[in-house]
mmCIF file of all heavy atoms in Angstrom:
data_model
loop_
_atom_site.group_PDB
_atom_site.id
_atom_site.type_symbol
_atom_site.label_atom_id
_atom_site.label_comp_id
_atom_site.label_asym_id
_atom_site.label_seq_id
_atom_site.Cartn_x
_atom_site.Cartn_y
_atom_site.Cartn_z
ATOM 1 N N CYS A 1 -25.145 3.103 87.414
ATOM 2 C CA CYS A 1 -24.619 4.045 88.424
ATOM 3 C C CYS A 1 -25.647 4.392 89.490
ATOM 4 O O CYS A 1 -25.530 5.422 90.156
ATOM 5 C CB CYS A 1 -24.067 5.318 87.797
ATOM 6 S SG CYS A 1 -22.419 5.134 87.126
ATOM 7 N N GLY A 2 -26.641 3.585 89.669
ATOM 8 C CA GLY A 2 -27.599 3.799 90.743
ATOM 9 C C GLY A 2 -27.097 3.149 92.014
ATOM 10 O O GLY A 2 -26.341 2.185 91.984
ATOM 11 N N SER A 3 -27.499 3.688 93.156
ATOM 12 C CA SER A 3 -27.111 3.140 94.445
ATOM 13 C C SER A 3 -28.193 3.488 95.446
ATOM 14 O O SER A 3 -29.344 3.686 95.078
ATOM 15 C CB SER A 3 -25.748 3.715 94.878
ATOM 16 O OG SER A 3 -25.302 3.060 96.041
ATOM 17 N N ASN A 4 -27.803 3.586 96.694
ATOM 18 C CA ASN A 4 -28.718 4.035 97.721
ATOM 19 C C ASN A 4 -27.924 4.792 98.775
ATOM 20 O O ASN A 4 -26.740 4.574 98.942
ATOM 21 C CB ASN A 4 -29.473 2.865 98.367
ATOM 22 C CG ASN A 4 -28.548 1.929 99.110
ATOM 23 O OD1 ASN A 4 -27.491 1.559 98.613
ATOM 24 N ND2 ASN A 4 -28.915 1.538 100.306
ATOM 25 N N SER A 5 -28.598 5.700 99.469
ATOM 26 C CA SER A 5 -27.986 6.362 100.606
ATOM 27 C C SER A 5 -27.955 5.372 101.756
ATOM 28 O O SER A 5 -28.787 4.467 101.826
ATOM 29 C CB SER A 5 -28.787 7.608 100.994
ATOM 30 O OG SER A 5 -28.763 8.544 99.934
ATOM 31 N N LYS A 6 -26.977 5.519 102.641
ATOM 32 C CA LYS A 6 -26.856 4.552 103.717
ATOM 33 C C LYS A 6 -26.329 5.214 104.980
ATOM 34 O O LYS A 6 -25.484 6.095 104.921
ATOM 35 C CB LYS A 6 -25.924 3.417 103.291
ATOM 36 C CG LYS A 6 -25.945 2.248 104.246
ATOM 37 C CD LYS A 6 -25.486 0.978 103.600
ATOM 38 C CE LYS A 6 -25.601 -0.164 104.580
ATOM 39 N NZ LYS A 6 -25.109 -1.410 104.076
ATOM 40 N N GLN A 7 -26.851 4.743 106.117
ATOM 41 C CA GLN A 7 -26.375 5.203 107.408
ATOM 42 C C GLN A 7 -25.594 4.072 108.063
ATOM 43 O O GLN A 7 -26.024 2.916 108.026
ATOM 44 C CB GLN A 7 -27.544 5.614 108.304
ATOM 45 C CG GLN A 7 -27.089 6.193 109.629
ATOM 46 C CD GLN A 7 -28.264 6.609 110.482
ATOM 47 O OE1 GLN A 7 -28.808 5.803 111.223
ATOM 48 N NE2 GLN A 7 -28.649 7.867 110.367
ATOM 49 N N PHE A 8 -24.456 4.416 108.643
ATOM 50 C CA PHE A 8 -23.601 3.450 109.324
ATOM 51 C C PHE A 8 -23.521 3.806 110.799
ATOM 52 O O PHE A 8 -23.704 4.960 111.183
ATOM 53 C CB PHE A 8 -22.189 3.477 108.721
ATOM 54 C CG PHE A 8 -22.137 2.977 107.311
ATOM 55 C CD1 PHE A 8 -22.284 3.847 106.249
ATOM 56 C CD2 PHE A 8 -21.962 1.627 107.037
ATOM 57 C CE1 PHE A 8 -22.255 3.390 104.938
ATOM 58 C CE2 PHE A 8 -21.935 1.160 105.741
ATOM 59 C CZ PHE A 8 -22.075 2.042 104.687
ATOM 60 N N PRO A 9 -23.196 2.817 111.640
ATOM 61 C CA PRO A 9 -23.001 3.123 113.058
ATOM 62 C C PRO A 9 -21.798 4.045 113.255
ATOM 63 O O PRO A 9 -20.834 3.975 112.498
ATOM 64 C CB PRO A 9 -22.732 1.763 113.698
ATOM 65 C CG PRO A 9 -23.144 0.746 112.698
ATOM 66 C CD PRO A 9 -23.043 1.397 111.352
ATOM 67 N N LYS A 10 -21.843 4.885 114.291
ATOM 68 C CA LYS A 10 -20.666 5.679 114.632
ATOM 69 C C LYS A 10 -19.546 4.710 114.993
ATOM 70 O O LYS A 10 -19.781 3.664 115.574
ATOM 71 C CB LYS A 10 -20.969 6.609 115.795
ATOM 72 C CG LYS A 10 -21.870 7.744 115.382
ATOM 73 C CD LYS A 10 -22.042 8.769 116.460
ATOM 74 C CE LYS A 10 -22.912 9.888 115.902
ATOM 75 N NZ LYS A 10 -23.027 11.007 116.767
ATOM 76 N N GLY A 11 -18.337 5.050 114.617
ATOM 77 C CA GLY A 11 -17.195 4.183 114.917
ATOM 78 C C GLY A 11 -16.965 3.102 113.882
ATOM 79 O O GLY A 11 -16.127 2.225 114.088
ATOM 80 N N THR A 12 -17.698 3.122 112.759
ATOM 81 C CA THR A 12 -17.475 2.153 111.683
ATOM 82 C C THR A 12 -16.026 2.277 111.221
ATOM 83 O O THR A 12 -15.527 3.376 111.017
ATOM 84 C CB THR A 12 -18.430 2.431 110.501
ATOM 85 O OG1 THR A 12 -19.771 2.244 110.951
ATOM 86 C CG2 THR A 12 -18.159 1.515 109.319
ATOM 87 N N SER A 13 -15.337 1.140 111.050
ATOM 88 C CA SER A 13 -13.912 1.197 110.710
ATOM 89 C C SER A 13 -13.647 1.282 109.213
ATOM 90 O O SER A 13 -12.652 1.862 108.783
ATOM 91 C CB SER A 13 -13.179 -0.003 111.295
ATOM 92 O OG SER A 13 -13.711 -1.207 110.770
ATOM 93 N N SER A 14 -14.501 0.692 108.390
ATOM 94 C CA SER A 14 -14.309 0.774 106.940
ATOM 95 C C SER A 14 -15.648 0.624 106.234
ATOM 96 O O SER A 14 -16.602 0.089 106.788
ATOM 97 C CB SER A 14 -13.328 -0.289 106.438
ATOM 98 O OG SER A 14 -13.896 -1.575 106.567
ATOM 99 N N ILE A 15 -15.683 1.104 104.997
ATOM 100 C CA ILE A 15 -16.869 0.990 104.141
ATOM 101 C C ILE A 15 -16.400 0.438 102.806
ATOM 102 O O ILE A 15 -15.444 0.941 102.216
ATOM 103 C CB ILE A 15 -17.562 2.349 103.952
ATOM 104 C CG1 ILE A 15 -18.084 2.869 105.296
ATOM 105 C CG2 ILE A 15 -18.702 2.247 102.937
ATOM 106 C CD1 ILE A 15 -18.679 4.262 105.246
ATOM 107 N N SER A 16 -17.074 -0.608 102.348
ATOM 108 C CA SER A 16 -16.698 -1.202 101.062
ATOM 109 C C SER A 16 -17.718 -0.822 99.991
ATOM 110 O O SER A 16 -18.897 -0.648 100.262
ATOM 111 C CB SER A 16 -16.590 -2.723 101.182
ATOM 112 O OG SER A 16 -17.814 -3.285 101.607
ATOM 113 N N PHE A 17 -17.204 -0.677 98.771
ATOM 114 C CA PHE A 17 -18.000 -0.287 97.612
ATOM 115 C C PHE A 17 -17.824 -1.343 96.533
ATOM 116 O O PHE A 17 -16.712 -1.816 96.299
ATOM 117 C CB PHE A 17 -17.512 1.064 97.056
ATOM 118 C CG PHE A 17 -17.603 2.198 98.028
ATOM 119 C CD1 PHE A 17 -16.590 2.437 98.948
ATOM 120 C CD2 PHE A 17 -18.697 3.046 98.027
ATOM 121 C CE1 PHE A 17 -16.661 3.494 99.845
ATOM 122 C CE2 PHE A 17 -18.772 4.110 98.923
ATOM 123 C CZ PHE A 17 -17.752 4.333 99.835
ATOM 124 N N HIS A 18 -18.908 -1.697 95.855
ATOM 125 C CA HIS A 18 -18.840 -2.645 94.738
ATOM 126 C C HIS A 18 -19.555 -2.028 93.541
ATOM 127 O O HIS A 18 -20.651 -1.480 93.670
ATOM 128 C CB HIS A 18 -19.503 -3.973 95.088
ATOM 129 C CG HIS A 18 -19.490 -4.934 93.940
ATOM 130 N ND1 HIS A 18 -20.524 -5.022 93.037
ATOM 131 C CD2 HIS A 18 -18.566 -5.827 93.527
ATOM 132 C CE1 HIS A 18 -20.235 -5.944 92.124
ATOM 133 N NE2 HIS A 18 -19.046 -6.442 92.410
ATOM 134 N N ALA A 19 -18.925 -2.133 92.359
ATOM 135 C CA ALA A 19 -19.519 -1.586 91.136
ATOM 136 C C ALA A 19 -19.808 -2.691 90.141
ATOM 137 O O ALA A 19 -18.948 -3.531 89.869
ATOM 138 C CB ALA A 19 -18.576 -0.572 90.501
ATOM 139 N N ALA A 20 -21.013 -2.716 89.617
ATOM 140 C CA ALA A 20 -21.372 -3.682 88.578
ATOM 141 C C ALA A 20 -20.676 -3.331 87.268
ATOM 142 O O ALA A 20 -20.258 -4.202 86.514
ATOM 143 C CB ALA A 20 -22.884 -3.721 88.390
ATOM 144 N N LYS A 21 -20.556 -2.045 86.972
ATOM 145 C CA LYS A 21 -19.861 -1.532 85.780
ATOM 146 C C LYS A 21 -18.788 -0.560 86.247
ATOM 147 O O LYS A 21 -18.895 0.029 87.316
ATOM 148 C CB LYS A 21 -20.835 -0.786 84.854
ATOM 149 C CG LYS A 21 -21.943 -1.633 84.299
ATOM 150 C CD LYS A 21 -21.459 -2.433 83.126
ATOM 151 C CE LYS A 21 -22.630 -3.161 82.483
ATOM 152 N NZ LYS A 21 -22.256 -3.955 81.369
ATOM 153 N N ALA A 22 -17.775 -0.362 85.441
ATOM 154 C CA ALA A 22 -16.716 0.578 85.785
ATOM 155 C C ALA A 22 -17.289 1.975 85.996
ATOM 156 O O ALA A 22 -18.140 2.428 85.229
ATOM 157 C CB ALA A 22 -15.664 0.596 84.690
ATOM 158 N N CYS A 23 -16.849 2.629 87.053
ATOM 159 C CA CYS A 23 -17.291 3.983 87.350
ATOM 160 C C CYS A 23 -16.295 4.629 88.303
ATOM 161 O O CYS A 23 -15.374 3.984 88.787
ATOM 162 C CB CYS A 23 -18.698 3.999 87.947
ATOM 163 S SG CYS A 23 -18.824 3.256 89.579
ATOM 164 N N THR A 24 -16.501 5.895 88.559
ATOM 165 C CA THR A 24 -15.702 6.623 89.536
ATOM 166 C C THR A 24 -16.647 7.289 90.517
ATOM 167 O O THR A 24 -17.622 7.924 90.116
ATOM 168 C CB THR A 24 -14.831 7.691 88.849
ATOM 169 O OG1 THR A 24 -13.948 7.042 87.938
ATOM 170 C CG2 THR A 24 -14.019 8.476 89.865
ATOM 171 N N LEU A 25 -16.364 7.132 91.806
ATOM 172 C CA LEU A 25 -17.145 7.790 92.843
ATOM 173 C C LEU A 25 -16.409 9.045 93.267
ATOM 174 O O LEU A 25 -15.211 9.010 93.538
ATOM 175 C CB LEU A 25 -17.309 6.876 94.060
ATOM 176 C CG LEU A 25 -17.833 5.465 93.798
ATOM 177 C CD1 LEU A 25 -17.976 4.710 95.114
ATOM 178 C CD2 LEU A 25 -19.145 5.499 93.059
ATOM 179 N N THR A 26 -17.108 10.162 93.323
ATOM 180 C CA THR A 26 -16.525 11.415 93.776
ATOM 181 C C THR A 26 -17.168 11.773 95.112
ATOM 182 O O THR A 26 -18.397 11.771 95.235
ATOM 183 C CB THR A 26 -16.766 12.534 92.746
ATOM 184 O OG1 THR A 26 -16.206 12.118 91.494
ATOM 185 C CG2 THR A 26 -16.123 13.836 93.182
ATOM 186 N N PHE A 27 -16.330 12.067 96.120
ATOM 187 C CA PHE A 27 -16.807 12.351 97.472
ATOM 188 C C PHE A 27 -16.854 13.855 97.727
ATOM 189 O O PHE A 27 -15.957 14.589 97.333
ATOM 190 C CB PHE A 27 -15.892 11.686 98.506
ATOM 191 C CG PHE A 27 -15.817 10.201 98.355
ATOM 192 C CD1 PHE A 27 -14.684 9.598 97.846
ATOM 193 C CD2 PHE A 27 -16.889 9.397 98.708
ATOM 194 C CE1 PHE A 27 -14.612 8.221 97.689
ATOM 195 C CE2 PHE A 27 -16.831 8.017 98.553
ATOM 196 C CZ PHE A 27 -15.691 7.430 98.037
ATOM 197 N N SER A 28 -17.905 14.305 98.431
ATOM 198 C CA SER A 28 -18.025 15.727 98.760
ATOM 199 C C SER A 28 -17.134 16.102 99.937
ATOM 200 O O SER A 28 -16.690 17.236 100.039
ATOM 201 C CB SER A 28 -19.480 16.084 99.083
ATOM 202 O OG SER A 28 -19.904 15.392 100.248
ATOM 203 N N VAL A 29 -16.900 15.163 100.851
ATOM 204 C CA VAL A 29 -16.057 15.398 102.026
ATOM 205 C C VAL A 29 -15.002 14.299 102.068
ATOM 206 O O VAL A 29 -15.196 13.261 102.691
ATOM 207 C CB VAL A 29 -16.892 15.395 103.335
ATOM 208 C CG1 VAL A 29 -16.013 15.696 104.541
ATOM 209 C CG2 VAL A 29 -18.036 16.389 103.248
ATOM 210 N N PRO A 30 -13.869 14.493 101.379
ATOM 211 C CA PRO A 30 -12.877 13.428 101.300
ATOM 212 C C PRO A 30 -12.243 13.064 102.634
ATOM 213 O O PRO A 30 -11.793 11.937 102.809
ATOM 214 C CB PRO A 30 -11.824 13.966 100.329
ATOM 215 C CG PRO A 30 -12.235 15.317 99.925
ATOM 216 C CD PRO A 30 -13.537 15.643 100.561
ATOM 217 N N ASN A 31 -12.208 13.996 103.613
ATOM 218 C CA ASN A 31 -11.540 13.665 104.870
ATOM 219 C C ASN A 31 -12.336 12.703 105.741
ATOM 220 O O ASN A 31 -11.908 12.351 106.838
ATOM 221 C CB ASN A 31 -11.163 14.932 105.643
ATOM 222 C CG ASN A 31 -12.359 15.709 106.151
ATOM 223 O OD1 ASN A 31 -13.503 15.432 105.793
ATOM 224 N ND2 ASN A 31 -12.094 16.708 106.976
ATOM 225 N N CYS A 32 -13.472 12.251 105.263
ATOM 226 C CA CYS A 32 -14.209 11.180 105.944
ATOM 227 C C CYS A 32 -13.381 9.894 105.930
ATOM 228 O O CYS A 32 -13.461 9.081 106.834
ATOM 229 C CB CYS A 32 -15.543 10.967 105.242
ATOM 230 S SG CYS A 32 -16.513 9.575 105.838
ATOM 231 N N PHE A 33 -12.545 9.715 104.884
ATOM 232 C CA PHE A 33 -11.769 8.493 104.705
ATOM 233 C C PHE A 33 -10.282 8.751 104.866
ATOM 234 O O PHE A 33 -9.789 9.842 104.550
ATOM 235 C CB PHE A 33 -12.047 7.899 103.315
ATOM 236 C CG PHE A 33 -13.484 7.527 103.105
ATOM 237 C CD1 PHE A 33 -14.293 8.279 102.272
ATOM 238 C CD2 PHE A 33 -14.045 6.448 103.761
ATOM 239 C CE1 PHE A 33 -15.625 7.952 102.084
ATOM 240 C CE2 PHE A 33 -15.382 6.120 103.589
ATOM 241 C CZ PHE A 33 -16.176 6.862 102.754
ATOM 242 N N ALA A 34 -9.549 7.755 105.334
ATOM 243 C CA ALA A 34 -8.105 7.848 105.491
ATOM 244 C C ALA A 34 -7.450 8.154 104.146
ATOM 245 O O ALA A 34 -7.840 7.596 103.120
ATOM 246 C CB ALA A 34 -7.554 6.544 106.060
ATOM 247 N N GLY A 35 -6.485 9.049 104.152
ATOM 248 C CA GLY A 35 -5.817 9.440 102.921
ATOM 249 C C GLY A 35 -6.532 10.533 102.157
ATOM 250 O O GLY A 35 -6.053 11.004 101.131
ATOM 251 N N ASN A 36 -7.712 10.935 102.626
ATOM 252 C CA ASN A 36 -8.490 12.020 102.012
ATOM 253 C C ASN A 36 -8.723 11.851 100.512
ATOM 254 O O ASN A 36 -8.500 12.776 99.732
ATOM 255 C CB ASN A 36 -7.821 13.367 102.277
ATOM 256 C CG ASN A 36 -7.673 13.649 103.747
ATOM 257 O OD1 ASN A 36 -8.522 13.291 104.547
ATOM 258 N ND2 ASN A 36 -6.573 14.287 104.119
ATOM 259 N N PRO A 37 -9.201 10.688 100.071
ATOM 260 C CA PRO A 37 -9.438 10.532 98.627
ATOM 261 C C PRO A 37 -10.614 11.388 98.161
ATOM 262 O O PRO A 37 -11.677 11.360 98.764
ATOM 263 C CB PRO A 37 -9.762 9.049 98.485
ATOM 264 C CG PRO A 37 -10.387 8.683 99.804
ATOM 265 C CD PRO A 37 -9.651 9.522 100.830
ATOM 266 N N ALA A 38 -10.395 12.124 97.092
ATOM 267 C CA ALA A 38 -11.480 12.920 96.508
ATOM 268 C C ALA A 38 -12.370 12.045 95.641
ATOM 269 O O ALA A 38 -13.531 12.348 95.427
ATOM 270 C CB ALA A 38 -10.909 14.066 95.686
#
């Protein structure tokens, strides 16, 4: 469950996530993404 912090350009259209092992990511600000996933 280790990762890294990352900065993206303004206007980025999507962000992809890949997990080596099954896990769940919990977001502090869900409205950053379409559909507001928590």
Side-chain angles (χ1 to χ4, degrees):
C1 280
S3 187
N4 64 315
S5 297
K6 191 158 183 183
Q7 184 179 87
F8 293 91
K10 288 187 177 187
T12 297
S13 60
S14 68
I15 296 175
S16 59
F17 300 85
H18 178 268
K21 298 279 186 181
C23 67
T24 299
L25 308 182
T26 302
F27 300 107
S28 64
V29 182
N31 67 350
C32 174
F33 299 108
N36 301 325

